[in-house]
Amino acid sequence: MGLLEDKVVLVNGGSQGVGAAVVRAAVREGASVVFSGRRADVGEKLAADTGARFVRADLSDPAQAGDGVVQAVDAHGRIDCVVNAAGLTSRGSLLDTTPELFDQHMAINLRAPFFAMQAAVADMTARKAPGTVVNIISNCAHGGPPHLAPYSAAKAGLAGLTRNAAHAHRWDRIRINGLNIGWTDTEGEDATQRAFHDAGDDWREKAAQSQPMGKLGQVDEIADFVVFLLSDRSGVVTGSVIDWDQIVFGGQD
């Protein structure tokens, strides 16, 4: 028996990076998986590889952010678990962020998880059934670097939303937790390093050497932790925002 046997799982932002790793891990653990993403070619390939169902969606649209839940319920009759893994990491400081960039960050990093959770919790409470949600947040929720001002603001909002929703629905037996992930080796991070930081082909090796554990965060490791939080093995834990990182926040040398 897998950890998610007979569970219906939605992964928003599941076509690449952390989200794709969660899709693979959830399928491996016995779940029926629906996942969303913007790129049809990447999503359809992952669906073919895993047997999960792909839903093309622009999560900046609130209606499409909740549509994955609708698709999961239509296909499987219910929704048991949601992972909000989509993220926008475009750079912007307090001084150079435009209103358009700020709104993009809020739309993807905060508003989309809000309306996905709204749709999922509505289904769970209507059925009087328990459920679990994991929000992929960021260690930037603690403050973040100057060049990630709107991103940090949105992720801090998502951390607060995670706790608020968990408190509001604890008596419904809906557990909602979050992971403040740190620097992670993903396709998106590779593109970001090259686009914004003039990184060369060796940036991963250099980055790994700068980290205490000698490597960046790995998506399969994060996915295993997400599956654990989605599963009954994580017990009663709810409203927790866990720092999944090599940085010890508050520690000083």
Side-chain angles (χ1 to χ4, degrees):
M1 291 287 288
L3 286 175
L4 298 177
E5 200 74 32
D6 297 325
K7 300 291 188 184
V8 178
V9 176
L10 168 67
V11 183
N12 274 327
S15 57
Q16 65 179 11
V18 172
V22 173
V23 169
R24 294 187 185 96
V27 169
R28 181 195 71 212
E29 294 298 326
S32 298
V33 179
V34 177
F35 70 98
S36 69
R38 288 184 297 109
R39 295 175 56 192
D41 56 338
V42 176
E44 289 167 0
K45 183 179 186 307
L46 181 60
D49 290 344
T50 61
R53 178 174 180 175
F54 171 61
V55 176
R56 189 174 185 181
D58 176 0
L59 297 176
S60 66
D61 178 353
Q64 293 186 53
D67 188 55
V69 173
V70 175
Q71 296 285 341
V73 172
D74 284 349
H76 302 288
R78 68 185 194 281
I79 185 78
D80 299 309
C81 310
V82 176
V83 179
N84 287 305
L88 177 69
T89 59
S90 300
R91 275 32 180 173
S93 72
L94 179 65
L95 295 180
D96 63 21
T97 295
T98 64
E100 292 77 17
L101 179 61
F102 184 89
D103 288 346
Q104 289 168 12
H105 274 277
M106 293 300 158
I108 295 295
N109 295 325
L110 181 55
R111 190 174 66 192
F114 186 102
F115 286 102
M117 286 197 293
Q118 182 185 80
V121 171
D123 176 75
M124 294 168 186
T125 54
R127 293 184 292 109
K128 297 186 176 3
T132 51
V133 176
V134 175
N135 291 320
I136 304 300
I137 311 178
S138 168
N139 63 21
C140 289
H142 293 291
H147 61 269
L148 285 175
Y151 177 79
S152 298
K155 290 297 189 177
L158 183 54
L161 173 61
T162 298
R163 296 185 181 99
N164 179 275
H167 177 74
H169 293 284
R170 66 199 190 282
W171 289 104
D172 296 315
R173 296 177 297 149
I174 298 170
R175 300 188 298 110
I176 303 173
N177 296 289
L179 288 186
N180 280 337
I181 64 172
W183 200 1
T184 303
D185 185 357
T186 65
E187 304 98 313
E189 183 60 21
D190 180 62
T192 295
Q193 289 296 318
R194 295 174 188 276
F196 293 99
H197 302 287
D198 297 322
D201 292 340
D202 62 346
W203 77 265
R204 285 185 174 88
E205 290 75 15
K206 291 180 178 178
Q209 292 169 7
S210 72
Q211 300 301 298
M213 306 302 163
K215 64 178 182 179
L216 298 180
Q218 301 297 302
V219 294
D220 58 334
E221 297 169 348
I222 296 170
D224 286 345
F225 202 87
V226 170
V227 164
F228 173 75
L229 287 175
L230 292 175
S231 77
D232 294 339
R233 290 296 297 156
S234 55
V236 299
V237 63
T238 192
S240 292
V241 177
I242 300 164
D243 291 332
W244 198 98
D245 196 13
Q246 305 174 59
I247 296 173
V248 180
F249 293 95
Q252 298 181 30
D253 292 322

